[in-house]
Amino acid sequence: MDRIKITGGAPLNGVIPISGAKNAALPLMIASLLTGDTLELRNVPRLADVNQLLRILGNHGIDHTITGKRPGQTSETGQTIRLDASSVIDTCAPYDLVSRMRASFWVIAPLIARFGEACVSMPGGCAIGTRPVDLLLFALERMGVRIEIEGGYVVARAPKGLKGAEIAFPKVTVSGTHVALMAATLADGTTVVENAAREPEIVDLAECLIKMGAKITGAGTSRIVIDGVARLHGTTHTVMPDRIETGTYAMAVAMTGGDVTLENTRPEFLQNALDVLSQVGVEVSAVNDGIRVHRNGTGLRSVDVTTDPFPGFPTDLQAQFMALMTRAEGTSRIRETIFENRFMHVQELARLGAQIRLDGDAAIVQGVERLKGAPVMATDLRASVSLVIAGLAAEGETEIHRVYHLDRGFEALEAKLGRCGARIERISA
Ligand code: EPZ
């Protein structure tokens, strides 16, 4: 298995191009099941999760083509994928595919909406908590779908089609909102989603669906209204920039010091996290087509954060921020309110000398003067990259094992950091 070796201590300086967002690309790819026409997605990141979803969609009968590179494009220029769901042959998503990527469960929404039936494996365990799908099924049931659990599969039936409904989520859910949005586009009548997630990825999906002919208003607010239409058509859509990748590199620069421009991204997608970085003592400014992050030799201040649904501080940046706080002056309290058990990085950061104590849903980080390199183990996507951030500042060598977690969500990580001065290399087994 590959590992990543980092020799810490080098500041980061230069430009990092930000890729298309994984968590926008995945639901957009799934939305291709809603139409028999071609959906062309641009700026799709080159990630293991994208390839895995292509396999899952292929199993349903979706054909895809990936456009070759144009002159001047680098290996990190997002790819263009054309998806064609004109001849879906199978409305069942099997366990061995769904269990590898939770988001693939969301195929249930377009399948039931377009074909009136779907059979999708329950996703099963997950490293960052129990992550149930009850709210996704609640949304579908509200639209008249009959749900049964048979042999570990969710069997959904709506022979007469879906009906518009009031869906008031008892808690904010990104996956529930994606599913409700996709299903409601082809339902008969009007669907109102209350307490909807407001994440930018929801807006990106809604914008693409609108281009496909859907009638949606209010995406980005907590009340989304969808008037169902009889059919959707193909379109071309560019995937939004990855706000979590953006925040991750911003925190890496905050950690090492230096001056980096994050290119092709937008500050409003992660304003809360950028404000926190300013409080920590990092200079953050909007520049043409991106964000400049700058820290000279001055120390880092401890700041408390609590994760929250958008526009709050994202859970997907919690681990990276914790890595940063291990070097800050004073004590920081980091509360995780979205997922239980999303603190697997704590033990690994401790191997580098971090002082962190868990207290229920919070981690209390006591900043230390120095971290020291050590072998560590990646456990999930965001936890892994927090170890990269810590390794960039640790004295000596840090070796990160099980890097396939990183490859699920960070495109060309070593190349992007390496070009800015990080001493980082992948060692292939
Ligand atoms: C999405 O997961 C993201 N995944 C996650 O990113 C992200 O952490 C999360 O949203 C929160 O922002 C993708 O977009 C592919 P939820 P999702 O539905 O949609 C509970 C990463 O690292 N819940 O908003 O699964 C759930 O357990 C990943 O890229 C139910 O109780 O998150 C959690 O506590 C990790 N019942 C909370 O709601 C349900 O039916 C929010 O989950 C559904 C969710």
Side-chain angles (χ1 to χ4, degrees):
M1 264 187 269
D2 289 4
R3 50 195 206 278
I4 282 181
K5 190 170 99 182
I6 300 171
T7 308
L12 294 171
N13 287 291
V15 175
I16 298 182
I18 297 300
S19 300
K22 168 180 85 78
N23 288 349
L26 300 179
L28 286 164
M29 290 166 68
I30 289 171
S32 67
L33 276 164
L34 285 166
T35 176
D37 296 347
T38 299
L39 176 62
E40 180 177 293
L41 296 175
R42 299 186 177 165
N43 198 33
V44 179
R46 292 164 206 273
L47 296 172
D49 268 11
V50 166
N51 294 336
Q52 175 64 12
L53 184 56
L54 283 174
R55 275 192 285 278
I56 291 166
L57 295 176
N59 191 61
H60 292 295
I62 292 195
D63 288 330
H64 74 264
T65 51
I66 301 181
T67 310
K69 277 203 251 328
R70 299 203 169 79
Q73 291 188 331
T74 67
S75 60
E76 290 141 48
T77 309
Q79 52 193 342
T80 295
I81 303 185
R82 290 166 66 87
L83 296 147
D84 170 359
S86 57
S87 42
V88 167
I89 45 164
D90 195 346
T91 55
C92 197
Y95 176 68
D96 61 322
L97 293 178
V98 178
S99 58
R100 278 186 234 166
M101 190 179 47
R102 286 187 53 86
S104 59
F105 185 83
W106 307 348
V107 297
I108 194 167
L111 288 173
I112 189 77
R114 188 161 152 227
F115 303 104
E117 58 171 40
C119 139
V120 180
S121 167
M122 297 279 281
C126 162
I128 60 173
T130 47
R131 300 185 79 188
V133 291
D134 55 328
L135 298 176
L136 286 62
L137 303 184
F138 156 78
L140 295 176
E141 281 178 324
R142 295 287 301 159
M143 285 187 260
V145 178
R146 272 190 292 122
I147 304 275
E148 277 165 280
I149 312 291
E150 290 170 19
Y153 281 73
V154 176
V155 181
R157 293 187 187 91
K160 293 193 184 132
L162 272 53
K163 291 186 198 61
E166 280 256 324
I167 301 169
F169 283 117
K171 99 195 246 191
V172 178
T173 157
V174 173
S175 53
T177 307
H178 278 316
V179 158
L181 201 53
M182 284 192 261
T185 55
L186 293 179
D188 182 18
T190 301
T191 298
V192 180
V193 183
E194 301 278 6
N195 200 22
R198 292 179 281 165
E199 269 65 5
E201 292 77 13
I202 301 282
V203 179
D204 207 31
L205 174 66
E207 281 173 0
C208 178
L209 292 171
I210 290 168
K211 283 191 244 168
M212 292 166 76
K215 297 208 162 72
I216 302 170
T217 54
T221 75
S222 48
R223 186 173 193 269
I224 307 179
V225 180
I226 307 115
D227 284 317
V229 295
R231 67 178 293 276
L232 296 177
H233 51 74
T235 193
T236 296
H237 184 78
T238 301
V239 178
M240 64 171 275
D242 196 316
R243 64 192 168 100
I244 304 303
E245 190 196 24
T246 306
T248 299
Y249 289 128
M251 287 182 198
V253 181
M255 185 68 150
T256 61
D259 192 344
V260 170
T261 299
L262 306 169
E263 215 175 48
N264 310 326
T265 186
R266 286 165 49 185
E268 64 269 28
F269 289 154
L270 68 160
Q271 199 55 57
N272 186 302
L274 296 179
D275 290 346
V276 168
L277 282 181
S278 302
Q279 292 169 38
V280 166
V282 182
E283 280 178 49
V284 178
S285 52
V287 293
N288 194 18
D289 198 24
I291 301 169
R292 179 178 167 212
V293 184
H294 176 215
R295 183 169 80 82
N296 54 25
T298 57
L300 299 162
R301 287 190 287 271
S302 284
V303 174
D304 295 343
V305 304
T306 297
T307 62
D308 262 320
F310 190 84
F313 189 93
T315 173
D316 289 347
L317 286 175
Q318 179 256 107
Q320 299 88 317
F321 185 68
M322 195 181 298
L324 181 62
M325 287 296 95
T326 62
R327 291 286 313 282
E329 202 176 303
T331 306
S332 153
R333 184 180 177 86
I334 301 175
R335 253 192 91 209
E336 172 59 59
T337 70
I338 310 291
F339 294 111
E340 80 270 27
N341 194 27
R342 204 175 196 183
F343 283 135
M344 287 90 63
H345 39 286
V346 168
Q347 291 311 322
E348 297 303 308
L349 288 171
R351 290 177 55 74
L352 301 173
Q355 286 194 12
I356 308 171
R357 173 169 69 77
L358 289 181
D359 175 18
D361 65 357
I364 320 295
V365 188
Q366 173 67 52
V368 292
E369 226 158 79
R370 60 178 66 86
L371 298 175
K372 287 201 178 135
V376 286
M377 187 95 76
T379 47
D380 82 40
L381 171 56
R382 311 304 175 186
S384 326
V385 86
S386 78
L387 300 174
V388 171
I389 292 176
L392 288 172
E395 284 173 5
E397 265 181 26
T398 297
E399 243 186 37
I400 302 171
H401 296 258
R402 300 203 181 159
V403 296
Y404 54 83
H405 289 292
L406 281 172
D407 297 334
R408 289 189 39 220
F410 288 94
E411 182 173 15
L413 176 105
E414 311 93 271
K416 289 185 184 188
L417 286 171
R419 276 201 303 268
C420 289
R423 291 172 296 208
I424 181 168
E425 62 178 313
R426 178 179 293 249
I427 300 169
S428 297

